[in-house]
Amino acid sequence: MAKHWADFQYEIYLNGITGAVPRLPTDLTRLEELAEHRLGPGPVGYVAGSAGSGSTAAANRAALDRRRIVPRMLRDVHERDLSVEVLGRRLPAPMALAPVGVLSILHPDAEPAAARAAAAHGVPYILSSASSTPMEQVAEAMGDGERWFQLYWAKDREVTRSFLQRAKAAGFTALFVTLDTPLLAWRPRDLDQAYLPFLHGVGTANYFSDPAFRAGLARPVHEDPNAAVMHFVGMFADPAKTWPDLAFLRDNWDGPIVLKGILHPDDALRAADAGVDGVVVSNHGGRQVAGSVAAADALPRVVEAAGDRLTVLFDSGVRTGDDIVKALALGAESVLVGRPYAYGLGLDGQAGVEHVIRCLLAEFDLTLALSGHARPGTLTADDLTTASA
């Protein structure tokens, strides 16, 4: 019998008999406000902030809220199976933890805590290149948990090659290549605090521990940390990359490759022609292009263009279980969740991340069942209607 994620609610109610209540809200949309009160303005602004006025982050939410689920009645939803196959891996639910860099600014246990939480519930963890913990330590922390590696594609080919070799050796099975950050966007919350952790050597652990990176330094990192930071800044991203450059990644990575940041159907077609395995429909949670199309509005056209040639995943704006239902109904095969688990980490470490995972999947399980579905694969666009603006 498949695990019912919804049982988490009965666990909470039963614990209440002894007077115990959850340490964090079960309405995960409240976590950001809590984080604003409990964490420093620099760290919380770095996670919560967006490009420009925040219009894209707001559009992401509006696009999901505008879609409304149309429940169906008298369907057998007694036994449910939320498992899906994504990138050749069987997962217990259509959700993964999105790559969020620099997690040590939120909690000292940082990426290993989030990775352990994901592994404890069988949810894939996508490690950011901009991690504050070297990838090998994160891999060790999560044992045999499913892990994927997110690449910020450096100017230095040898550093990129080294990252891919290290990730493969550490058991990361899929490569997520973020394409939407060849430059850092105009982010007023960070600018107003003059807050960029990388300049303090935070979020650079994968680089500072990398032999190819260190080979480019005149002196060891600990002897001249400022020089190491400037070497990092000079190579972190490359606005000159184009589609033919993908061949380098294909030559140096033998697992699935997923392009993150696809919003236009023509780019999905180019991705398929380039021989990659999947795309993430994403606008980086509103952090890169102010005024961008909402990710959920872009999703149906990308799904149509991808056909059966690509795995299509979705992120940007997912906060609740019903958001997951909507994204799957619009054609995504799985979703990535970012900010909510980052807030959970900041507020309560590994336990906070586990709370977020369990709340999201319990609410997803219940919403799916109450809408008349026993498994994710039966959701279609016919299960949604669009509310007038």
Side-chain angles (χ1 to χ4, degrees), residues 176-248:
F176 282 65
V177 187
T178 297
L179 300 182
D180 58 19
T181 315
L183 301 164
L184 276 186
W186 187 256
R187 298 177 184 171
R189 286 193 68 168
D190 295 338
L191 290 163
D192 291 351
Q193 298 285 332
Y195 186 81
L196 189 61
F198 306 112
L199 297 185
H200 302 279
V202 180
T204 56
N206 282 320
Y207 298 85
F208 287 6
S209 62
D210 190 82
F213 177 90
R214 293 195 304 232
L217 300 175
R219 288 190 286 170
V221 174
H222 68 275
E223 288 185 13
D224 194 349
N226 288 337
V229 165
M230 296 317 295
H231 188 51
F232 162 81
V233 170
M235 77 163 59
F236 174 69
D238 184 3
K241 289 279 195 300
T242 59
W243 289 96
D245 291 309
L246 287 170
F248 174 81

Side-chain angles (χ1 to χ4, degrees), residues 11-30:
E11 182 182 318
I12 292 172
Y13 288 135
L14 287 171
N15 287 339
I17 294 172
T18 66
V21 297
R23 287 165 56 90
L24 294 179
T26 54
D27 173 1
L28 301 181
T29 65
R30 294 178 54 205

Side-chain angles (χ1 to χ4, degrees), residues 64-386:
L64 286 164
D65 288 340
R66 200 166 62 246
R67 270 94 180 174
R68 313 304 298 175
I69 298 164
V70 184
R72 302 295 303 274
M73 300 297 117
L74 292 175
R75 291 177 166 185
D76 184 356
V77 293
H78 173 63
E79 287 299 336
R80 300 179 302 285
D81 182 2
L82 269 54
S83 68
V84 292
E85 186 167 309
V86 176
L87 302 172
R89 320 294 284 195
R90 196 73 192 169
L91 308 179
M95 187 181 89
L97 297 192
V100 179
V102 208
L103 289 181
S104 63
I105 65 175
L106 299 175
H107 194 280
D109 293 345
E111 292 82 10
R116 284 193 299 267
H121 298 284
V123 172
Y125 178 68
I126 309 176
L127 179 70
S128 172
S129 283
S131 167
S132 40
T133 312
M135 63 182 86
E136 291 83 3
Q137 290 181 28
V138 177
E140 185 178 0
M142 66 186 307
D144 59 0
E146 185 68 33
R147 49 188 175 269
W148 302 335
F149 183 71
Q150 176 269 344
L151 178 71
Y152 279 121
W153 200 349
K155 282 181 184 174
D156 188 320
R157 278 193 160 206
E158 293 313 308
V159 170
T160 298
R161 197 192 315 271
S162 181
F163 270 30
L164 300 184
Q165 290 169 349
R166 290 171 62 196
K168 179 59 70 175
F172 292 87
T173 58
L175 180 67
F176 282 65
V177 187
T178 297
L179 300 182
D180 58 19
T181 315
L183 301 164
L184 276 186
W186 187 256
R187 298 177 184 171
R189 286 193 68 168
D190 295 338
L191 290 163
D192 291 351
Q193 298 285 332
Y195 186 81
L196 189 61
F198 306 112
L199 297 185
H200 302 279
V202 180
T204 56
N206 282 320
Y207 298 85
F208 287 6
S209 62
D210 190 82
F213 177 90
R214 293 195 304 232
L217 300 175
R219 288 190 286 170
V221 174
H222 68 275
E223 288 185 13
D224 194 349
N226 288 337
V229 165
M230 296 317 295
H231 188 51
F232 162 81
V233 170
M235 77 163 59
F236 174 69
D238 184 3
K241 289 279 195 300
T242 59
W243 289 96
D245 291 309
L246 287 170
F248 174 81
L249 299 181
R250 186 79 280 173
D251 289 344
N252 287 277
W253 182 266
D254 60 6
I257 296 177
V258 180
L259 304 183
K260 185 172 180 286
I262 299 298
L263 294 165
H264 196 291
D266 288 355
D267 284 348
L269 290 173
R270 295 202 70 163
D273 290 343
V276 303
D277 303 273
V279 295
V280 183
V281 175
S282 168
N283 55 31
H284 216 105
R287 289 168 62 76
Q288 278 303 100
V289 178
S292 167
V293 61
D297 286 336
L299 178 58
R301 293 177 68 209
V302 171
V303 168
E304 183 180 10
D308 59 2
R309 300 174 70 195
L310 296 167
T311 296
V312 179
L313 310 179
F314 174 81
D315 82 10
S316 298
V318 175
R319 298 292 179 272
T320 64
D322 57 283
D323 290 339
I324 301 175
V325 169
K326 293 172 184 179
L328 299 184
L330 291 171
E333 295 175 50
S334 182
V335 304
L336 313 184
V337 175
R339 285 185 177 102
Y341 90 78
Y343 299 138
L345 176 70
L347 292 165
D348 200 20
Q350 178 180 338
V353 181
E354 292 200 42
H355 175 83
V356 168
I357 292 170
R358 297 187 76 190
C359 285
L360 273 170
L361 292 180
E363 187 178 22
F364 170 60
D365 188 2
L366 288 164
T367 305
L368 190 73
L370 292 168
S371 302
H373 297 270
R375 54 189 183 85
T378 60
L379 288 166
T380 71
D382 291 339
D383 295 300
L384 302 179
T385 189
T386 304

